[in-house]
Amino acid sequence: MYTQQAKRSSLLRYWTTRYALTLVIGLAIILIMSVLWIRHSTLENNLNLNKYMAEEIADRMENSVANDIDGPLKIFPNILEDRSKILNSKKEPSLYIVNENGKVIFSNVRSPGVINSFVSSSFFSSKDTVKKFRLDSPPYDIYVVKSAIEMENGEKGWVLVVQPEKELTEVHQEYSLLLIMIISLGLLGWGAIYFLSRKLTSPIQDVSKAAKRIEAGLYDVNLSENVPQQEMYELIHSFKEMAQKLERLESLRAELLAGVTHELKTPVTSISGLLQAVKDDVVTGEEAKEFLDISVKETSKLQNMIGDLLDFNAFTAQAIPINIETHNALDLVKEITYQWHLAQGNEALSYDINATNTSILVDVDPMRFQQIMTNLLNNAKHAMKDSGHITIECSESLTQLLITVTNNGPPISEEEQPFIFDRFFRGEKKKYEVRGLGLGLPFSQMLARAMNGDLFLQASSNEGTSFTITLPLHTD
């Protein structure tokens, strides 16, 4: 069934677009809050200025006008002009002088009587100096600021400063500056995240390109590890290590195919030739028996190689069970080594066993442990070319048994030591001298770890090569 592939964007585009969206939303919220704050601050400031204007006018009226507020107001236009200059007002507010009865006696508007339609007498008697009123036609809000005019014979009237809320909150330059600042911050923020995202995604793109090369079977990746971010360094370093290991595994796979073909073909060819010689009576008598004995040995080797391959595959698939039992480690080591040495029938091979304690109880599968020991002993024999001495030492730590198998043969090269536990790996010298599939050590290590232990190379030098097996001690 065909399914349409989802559209995917680049990492750089993904993060920059989402950051830009987040930035726009955040700056929009800041802009709205700033506008509201500026509007509120402007309203408060202008109301305070109107209060100051009303108080100033009332004070000058008190000093310039006689006790009768209905007297001459020639000075009033000058007061308005002076206040407008001082306050730098673009739009002058509506000013009213009302007497003690609420009658408008002077105003700078054409229809001064309109003040009586929305300013009630209760406002003059209240202690409020600022009050907001709602006009219906057309609907809008206005603020009225009052200041009392007091004469020698008592309060005689009020100065009213009236101005629509729209004019009190009107701001131009501040909004322009705020908008310029918000846009600048948005561009700066987006530019910063674009630059940083591009710098971050650049090595990721390189890794992506390298992955495509590996997918195509090209393992020669060239990635720079000179990056400041620790996570990016670890990613690139791990990727390069992976590429090198894949290249090595690919090489081992090719060698395995060639090696398995050679290792299996050689005994089959030998057996076929020997049996054909017996069949055609090319050899008879004792020589024919000898040919048959050789064929049996070659068949046994062939079976062992196939068995190793089958066992390894079965164990990696977790198809081989492990049966843990409690045994005396020294007795197991002695019995396994004795049987192995007896089967070799070679007096040029010698061994000795040293132990710090004659009774060391361990939890182990004896059959799997024998496989590990046999592999290590066979490797030691091959390294010494069937002639030398093997030392086996048994010691214990707080929780583990340590069995070290040492041979006095030539060392493993430093270049090959990191790979000796890789499946199908065989050293340059060993692959031409000893038949095998390179599964002995990795299979033995897997068995040891399945028994909660381990197998590792202890040391390899001109004095000899040592492998150590660790197994858990028995606990009551």
Side-chain angles (χ1 to χ4, degrees):
M1 183 176 177
Y2 176 77
T3 56
Q4 186 176 5
Q5 187 177 7
K7 291 185 178 179
R8 295 180 176 88
S9 60
S10 66
L11 190 62
L12 178 62
R13 183 177 180 181
Y14 180 88
W15 283 115
T16 51
T17 52
R18 277 155 181 77
Y19 177 79
L21 180 61
T22 304
L23 187 65
V24 168
I25 294 174
L27 292 178
I29 294 173
I30 294 174
L31 178 62
I32 293 171
M33 294 179 64
S34 299
V35 168
L36 294 176
W37 179 79
I38 292 174
R39 180 185 176 88
H40 176 74
S41 299
T42 303
L43 176 63
E44 291 293 324
N45 291 336
N46 286 333
L47 285 176
N48 289 331
L49 291 176
N50 285 350
K51 286 181 185 180
Y52 175 73
M53 179 186 293
E55 291 172 359
E56 283 292 305
I57 293 173
D59 184 62
R60 295 183 66 172
M61 291 282 295
E62 292 171 4
N63 296 330
S64 304
V65 181
N67 290 338
D68 186 4
I69 195 173
D70 295 322
L73 297 174
K74 297 180 179 179
I75 196 171
F76 189 64
N78 296 330
I79 294 175
L80 295 179
E81 184 179 354
D82 292 343
R83 291 302 94 203
S84 297
K85 290 180 180 179
I86 293 173
L87 300 177
N88 193 24
S89 301
K90 293 182 178 179
K91 293 183 179 180
E92 292 184 359
S94 300
L95 298 176
Y96 299 88
I97 305 297
V98 298
N99 60 18
E100 56 187 357
N101 297 321
K103 180 182 178 182
V104 179
I105 60 173
F106 186 86
S107 176
N108 65 340
V109 297
R110 293 182 178 181
S111 301
V114 74
I115 191 68
N116 296 321
S117 64
F118 58 83
V119 177
S120 61
S121 59
S122 61
F123 175 59
F124 297 114
S125 60
S126 68
K127 295 182 179 180
D128 297 332
T129 58
V130 179
K131 191 167 183 179
K132 183 178 179 180
F133 294 93
R134 178 72 174 178
L135 299 185
D136 297 329
S137 181
Y140 66 95
D141 295 326
I142 63 171
Y143 282 86
V144 179
V145 178
K146 73 176 182 179
S147 181
I149 303 173
E150 297 180 357
M151 299 301 177
E152 294 179 359
N153 57 353
E155 189 176 278
K156 292 296 182 179
W158 293 269
V159 175
L160 302 182
V161 179
V162 181
Q163 196 166 9
E165 183 182 24
K166 182 178 179 181
E167 294 180 6
L168 291 170
T169 57
E170 188 175 15
V171 179
H172 295 289
Q173 184 176 4
E174 288 80 357
Y175 288 159
S176 300
L177 292 175
L178 177 63
L179 188 61
I180 292 173
M181 182 183 68
I182 292 294
I183 294 175
S184 300
L185 287 175
L187 293 175
L188 179 62
W190 185 85
I193 196 63
Y194 178 82
F195 174 77
L196 293 176
S197 298
R198 187 169 184 175
K199 191 174 182 64
L200 179 64
T201 55
S202 178
I204 297 178
Q205 290 175 346
D206 293 339
V207 172
S208 177
K209 293 177 181 178
K212 291 180 180 179
R213 287 182 58 83
I214 292 177
E215 184 182 7
L218 304 173
Y219 300 98
D220 54 333
V221 297
N222 184 19
L223 296 173
S224 174
E225 296 183 11
N226 187 23
V227 290
Q229 301 88 3
Q230 178 66 25
E231 293 81 3
M232 291 304 306
Y233 170 79
E234 291 176 357
L235 172 64
I236 294 174
H237 182 73
S238 300
F239 189 88
K240 292 177 71 174
E241 290 288 331
M242 180 194 70
Q244 293 173 3
K245 192 165 186 178
L246 286 174
E247 184 177 16
R248 188 167 63 250
L249 288 175
E250 180 66 19
S251 176
L252 288 175
R253 186 186 68 84
E255 289 185 12
L256 170 66
L257 292 175
V260 169
T261 302
H262 173 75
E263 295 295 338
L264 297 180
K265 182 179 179 180
T266 300
V268 169
T269 303
S270 177
I271 293 169
S272 177
L274 292 170
L275 293 179
Q276 189 67 38
V278 174
K279 178 182 178 182
D280 295 341
D281 295 328
V282 176
V283 292
T284 58
E286 292 297 325
E287 191 175 6
K289 290 182 179 181
E290 184 179 354
F291 272 37
L292 291 175
D293 289 338
I294 295 173
S295 297
V296 170
K297 290 181 180 180
E298 290 295 323
T299 302
S300 178
K301 291 179 181 179
L302 185 62
Q303 288 176 333
N304 288 336
M305 285 189 291
I306 295 174
D308 287 344
L309 188 58
L310 292 175
D311 286 346
F312 183 83
N313 289 335
F315 193 81
T316 54
Q318 298 181 349
I320 298 180
I322 298 294
N323 300 312
I324 301 297
E325 303 172 1
T326 302
H327 289 271
N328 186 321
L330 187 58
D331 292 343
L332 276 178
V333 171
K334 286 182 178 180
E335 181 181 356
I336 293 170
T337 307
Y338 174 76
Q339 292 179 359
W340 175 83
H341 186 262
L342 189 65
Q344 303 306 310
N346 186 353
E347 295 182 356
L349 285 172
S350 61
Y351 72 92
D352 59 50
I353 300 173
N354 302 319
T356 56
N357 192 344
T358 57
S359 179
I360 306 175
L361 296 180
V362 292
D363 294 325
V364 68
D365 184 328
M367 185 177 70
R368 303 305 176 193
F369 179 66
Q370 182 176 9
Q371 286 180 278
I372 298 173
M373 286 294 299
T374 301
N375 277 329
L376 293 179
L377 293 171
N378 284 334
N379 285 348
K381 182 190 75 170
H382 295 151
M384 297 183 300
K385 298 181 180 179
D386 298 337
S387 177
H389 185 72
I390 299 173
T391 302
I392 302 172
E393 295 185 358
C394 298
S395 61
E396 56 186 314
S397 63
L398 293 176
T399 59
Q400 288 183 322
L401 165 71
L402 287 82
I403 304 171
T404 302
V405 180
T406 305
N407 67 76
N408 60 358
I412 302 172
S413 67
E414 293 185 2
E415 294 79 10
E416 294 179 351
Q417 287 182 19
F419 312 118
I420 58 174
F421 289 103
D422 288 351
R423 62 192 68 180
F424 308 118
F425 176 81
R426 304 183 69 205
E428 289 297 322
K429 294 181 179 180
K430 190 175 181 179
K431 68 173 66 175
Y432 300 112
E433 296 176 355
V434 182
R435 289 181 181 177
L437 300 176
L439 293 175
L441 284 177
F443 186 45
S444 297
Q445 188 181 62
M446 291 174 64
L447 289 174
R449 290 177 176 175
M451 294 185 290
N452 299 319
D454 203 356
L455 171 64
F456 56 89
L457 176 65
Q458 182 72 39
S460 185
S461 63
N462 292 328
E463 298 178 357
T465 299
S466 300
F467 286 90
T468 298
I469 309 168
T470 64
L471 293 171
L473 294 174
H474 175 70
T475 56
D476 297 328

